[in-house]
Amino acid sequence: MASQTKITGFYRPT
Amino acid sequence: MFEARLLQGSLLKKVMEALKELLNEAAWDCSDAGIQLQAMDNSHVSLVSLNLRAEGFDKYRCDRNLSMGMNLGSMSKILKCASNEDIITIKAQDNADTVTFVFESPDQDKVSDYEMKLMNLDQEHLGIPETDYACTIRLPSSEFARICRDLSQFGESMVISCTKEGVRFSATGDIGTGNIKLAQSAKVDKEEEAVVIEMQEPVSLTFACRYLNSFTKATSLSKSVQLSMSPEVPLVVEYKIEDIGHVRYYLAPKIED
């Protein structure tokens, strides 16, 4: 079974 | 004062179809450059990014930046009241708590307006890093929709594998396995019917069919779709919207436990 990851790697604006 | 008039109102109706399955509400951020919308689905597995450039509108005025939080279910109900041939104008006063949609029939003999309450949404735009993707695949959007629909019958997940020979979509489940291979087009009469692969290195990633199927609600916006993949980063599914912008969907991959 593969598990779902969440959106990552996007950054919060500074 | 904000005012955006779109001669081809059907485009906005199609944009709505492309958003509403994934998002319940979203902020429409308006500036003099155009309209942008960015939002994640509730589970933070996918992100939708819409860009409609000011030049794509027949008339566009935005005196100061504004962010209009809208319930997309309500907006969808309103846009269903517009005919495909109608010209659509979106209007709002500065600091208003409502937005108005005006629908004009092509010969101007019927004009409807609908006012909708805005919502306070505390959403921030995330920065999306520039990425050189290991593989990009352009294919007819109808073909991609068909593949997602067909393979969803086999399982919840779909593996997309790209090599220089072509791209393979596979799904496995209780009833068995489905594999669809597309080769790069050798010769095509029409650009939008081509399958074009650009590959730096082979990539194979697993994605949830449910989200991919939601993305294909954008099929009517564009004859072709572009998939961009790199190991361990979200897939990008991009539909260009003729002369005005694009809708991009980002989908986090599934990983083996």
Side-chain angles (χ1 to χ4, degrees), chain B residues 176-194:
Chain B
T177 299
N179 287 299
I180 301 167
K181 277 187 259 181
L182 291 183
Q184 176 145 229
S185 306
K187 181 175 169 293
V188 279
D189 295 333
K190 290 181 187 156
E191 186 74 357
E192 66 259 23
E193 288 170 7

Side-chain angles (χ1 to χ4, degrees), chain B residues 1-244:
Chain B
M1 171 82 185
F2 170 75
E3 187 171 349
R5 185 173 191 260
L6 190 60
L7 287 179
Q8 205 181 339
S10 58
L11 276 183
L12 196 63
K13 287 166 73 78
K14 289 176 186 172
V15 163
M16 204 61 230
E17 290 304 307
L19 301 179
K20 70 171 192 191
E21 198 168 286
L22 285 163
L23 306 173
N24 298 325
E25 56 206 25
W28 296 69
D29 293 327
C30 309
S31 70
D32 56 5
I35 303 174
Q36 287 192 310
L37 176 154
Q38 191 200 79
M40 284 202 202
D41 72 283
N42 281 338
S43 54
H44 288 202
V45 168
S46 69
L47 180 142
V48 186
S49 173
L50 169 75
N51 185 22
L52 302 173
R53 292 186 298 270
E55 312 87 82
F57 292 86
D58 165 49
K59 223 188 268 173
Y60 189 90
R61 176 181 166 186
C62 183
D63 298 340
R64 48 181 290 188
N65 291 358
L66 86 162
S67 178
M68 296 190 287
M70 299 197 204
N71 178 303
L72 298 186
S74 307
M75 185 174 169
S76 175
K77 281 180 189 165
I78 289 176
L79 288 178
K80 283 210 172 106
C81 304
S83 300
N84 277 330
E85 298 72 33
D86 281 356
I87 299 160
I88 298 183
T89 304
I90 310 171
K91 288 199 286 197
Q93 299 296 326
D94 292 342
N95 302 318
D97 54 4
T98 61
V99 58
T100 302
F101 297 91
V102 183
F103 307 145
E104 299 164 67
S105 63
D107 50 11
Q108 315 279 320
D109 58 355
K110 180 181 174 189
V111 179
S112 335
D113 67 89
Y114 296 88
E115 193 180 81
M116 187 178 86
K117 285 182 197 142
L118 293 174
M119 309 169 73
N120 274 323
L121 294 179
D122 189 20
Q123 285 186 343
E124 59 181 354
H125 275 212
L126 293 175
I128 299 170
E130 285 288 320
T131 306
D132 284 329
Y133 288 95
C135 298
T136 62
I137 305 144
R138 187 159 55 78
L139 72 160
S141 59
S142 56
E143 184 69 82
F144 181 59
R146 179 70 199 256
I147 289 168
C148 292
R149 193 189 74 190
D150 290 351
L151 290 183
S152 296
Q153 301 183 97
F154 291 86
E156 290 177 1
S157 305
M158 184 193 302
V159 180
I160 307 179
S161 305
C162 185
T163 64
K164 62 180 188 304
E165 281 77 37
V167 54
R168 192 181 68 161
F169 302 85
S170 323
T172 301
D174 293 344
I175 62 169
T177 299
N179 287 299
I180 301 167
K181 277 187 259 181
L182 291 183
Q184 176 145 229
S185 306
K187 181 175 169 293
V188 279
D189 295 333
K190 290 181 187 156
E191 186 74 357
E192 66 259 23
E193 288 170 7
V195 175
V196 180
I197 296 167
E198 284 174 30
M199 193 205 75
Q200 316 298 328
E201 55 170 318
V203 180
S204 181
L205 289 169
T206 303
F207 299 102
C209 292
R210 183 165 72 86
Y211 290 93
L212 294 171
N213 271 315
S214 293
F215 302 166
T216 64
K217 302 294 177 203
T219 301
S220 63
L221 283 169
S222 182
K223 289 221 159 63
S224 68
V225 60
Q226 182 166 299
L227 314 179
S228 304
M229 299 200 297
S230 275
E232 294 168 16
V233 303
L235 163 78
V236 190
V237 180
E238 174 176 329
Y239 295 85
K240 292 221 182 320
I241 309 171
E242 49 182 299
D243 302 329
I244 181 163

Side-chain angles (χ1 to χ4, degrees), chain A residues 1-13, chain B residues 43-45 124-127 129 252-255 257:
Chain A
M1 272 297 280
S3 50
Q4 179 66 59
T5 60
K6 294 191 186 293
I7 287 281
T8 53
F10 297 176
Y11 51 86
R12 303 216 173 275
Chain B
S43 54
H44 288 202
V45 168
E124 59 181 354
H125 275 212
L126 293 175
K254 288 186 158 191
I255 50 164
D257 289 328

